[in-house]
Amino acid sequence: MQTTIKSAVSFSGTGLHSGQPATVTLRPASAHHGIWFSRSDVAVGDRLVPARWDAVNRSPLCTKLENPTGLSISTVEHLMAAIAGCGIHNLLIEIDGPEVPILDGSSLPFVRGIMQRGLRQLAAPVMAFEVLKTVSVQDGDATATISPADTLQIDFEIDFADAAIGQQHKSLIMNNGSFARELCDSRTFCRQADVEAMQANGLALGGEAGENAVVFDGDAVVSPGGLRHADEPVRHKMLDALGDLALAGAPLLGHYEGKRAGHSLTNTLLRALFATPDAVRLVACDAAQTARLPGSGLIWGEIPQVA
């Protein structure tokens, strides 16, 4: 059955790129409501922004949603990954600013907050998008592909010149709590050479090495405390991919493969998928299909502790 959160939960912090404080509150919603954001700091006009692929204003550094009036919400990917990874289908998300707080740079605080409240089942079957044809997109040496599968599987490969990152690859089937257990605590990362450039362009103003991001410089991990996983960067890219794929509007049954892909390319893939005739169909999930969706099999004791 479809789910929502049992009771409201709030998270407060600073936006990674804006440096502005923000509070985001997840509130229960009815069946078939889907995931919507509401800008509580906006007094007049349309305050609602859909968490959907066709509302994405594509950016290489984060996922930004925008409604037809131009009202936007940035850096939604870690929250969306947590929502999908916990198996939630319906929420109203209130936010008092233009950017979701970065918290520790991962999805872990969101996952723990959601699961502490618990999920409530709703009187409607889960709807999912079943991928029927392989669709691929490319941008330079970056590619993203989605192909038919009976569950959501994410494969990701990265290749950085920095020796501390290098080439990494990981593959996961996203059920049986694998997102919460394997990916949710992996933090956003960047290269030291890019930090000054981003901040000079008014980005990453809320970034703090070791607090909400992992910073690499050649063969060194600059951030105090080091890594949570030896392959934390590729795990975080998989986390991002799940958050961006969650903007399909319903869970996906398909095999996603990303090579050097980022937020913009994954959104390009979703646009191509829904533009390709007979490439995807919406299905009502039976119990067996629901058990293969992200969030199924999640056990509280397997969620990492807050670092």
Side-chain angles (χ1 to χ4, degrees):
M1 307 302 288
Q2 293 181 30
T3 65
T4 189
I5 197 168
K6 281 186 177 179
S7 60
V9 61
S10 296
F11 306 90
S12 296
T14 302
L16 175 62
H17 293 296
S18 66
Q20 298 180 10
T23 295
V24 61
T25 301
L26 281 54
R27 298 191 181 279
S30 58
H32 304 298
H33 177 277
I35 312 294
W36 287 77
F37 287 85
S38 176
R39 284 280 300 273
S40 61
D41 59 321
V42 175
V44 296
D46 184 2
R47 302 192 300 179
L48 292 174
V49 182
R52 203 173 57 230
W53 59 272
D54 55 348
V56 172
N57 184 337
R58 282 177 281 186
S59 166
L61 296 178
C62 70
T63 299
K64 179 181 180 181
L65 299 171
E66 192 172 288
N67 74 7
T69 70
L71 189 68
S72 66
I73 299 166
S74 296
T75 321
V76 303
E77 57 269 20
H78 302 167
L79 175 56
M80 290 303 302
I83 291 167
C86 291
I88 291 184
H89 313 110
N90 303 283
L91 283 177
L92 177 63
I93 305 170
E94 294 180 352
I95 184 169
D96 62 357
E99 186 177 15
V100 175
I102 192 64
L103 303 182
D104 75 342
S106 77
S107 293
L108 178 57
F110 294 124
V111 168
R112 292 190 68 86
I114 289 169
M115 296 311 296
Q116 282 173 342
R117 291 296 189 272
L119 275 58
R120 177 164 59 91
Q121 287 196 341
L122 303 170
V126 178
M127 307 301 293
F129 283 115
E130 181 182 16
V131 177
L132 303 175
K133 292 181 179 179
T134 298
V135 177
S136 297
V137 294
Q138 183 171 357
D139 182 11
D141 60 0
T143 61
T145 301
I146 194 159
S147 54
D150 64 1
T151 186
L152 178 62
Q153 179 175 340
I154 295 179
D155 289 11
F156 217 104
E157 181 180 320
I158 61 174
D159 190 358
F160 284 83
D162 299 68
I165 307 174
Q167 187 174 34
Q168 299 180 12
H169 174 264
K170 192 170 180 64
S171 176
L172 277 176
I173 293 174
M174 302 306 299
N175 61 2
N176 294 322
S178 61
F179 171 75
R181 185 174 59 253
E182 302 282 348
L183 303 181
C184 80
D185 63 339
S186 294
R187 297 160 293 173
T188 193
F189 67 96
C190 63
R191 301 163 64 240
Q192 181 65 44
D194 298 328
V195 173
E196 292 85 357
M198 287 191 293
Q199 293 183 339
N201 285 285
L203 298 170
L205 300 179
E208 294 287 343
E211 295 294 326
N212 54 33
V214 181
V215 178
F216 295 93
D217 188 7
D219 61 357
V221 180
V222 177
S223 305
L227 300 176
R228 294 178 177 175
H229 305 276
D231 59 350
E232 189 169 357
V234 73
R235 291 177 188 241
H236 184 79
K237 296 292 281 187
M238 296 171 74
L239 182 159
D240 279 346
L242 178 62
D244 291 334
L245 292 171
L247 298 175
L252 279 169
L253 294 168
H255 181 189
Y256 171 92
E257 297 172 87
K259 295 182 180 180
R260 301 185 179 185
H263 302 295
S264 180
L265 193 61
T266 300
N267 182 252
T268 299
L269 178 65
L270 285 180
R271 290 174 184 269
L273 175 68
F274 287 107
T276 301
D278 302 319
V280 65
R281 66 180 176 187
L282 189 64
V283 296
C285 294
D286 59 23
Q289 288 172 314
T290 301
R292 296 195 295 267
L293 296 177
S296 68
L298 196 160
I299 298 171
W300 172 259
E302 293 183 343
I303 301 172
Q305 297 293 317
V306 177

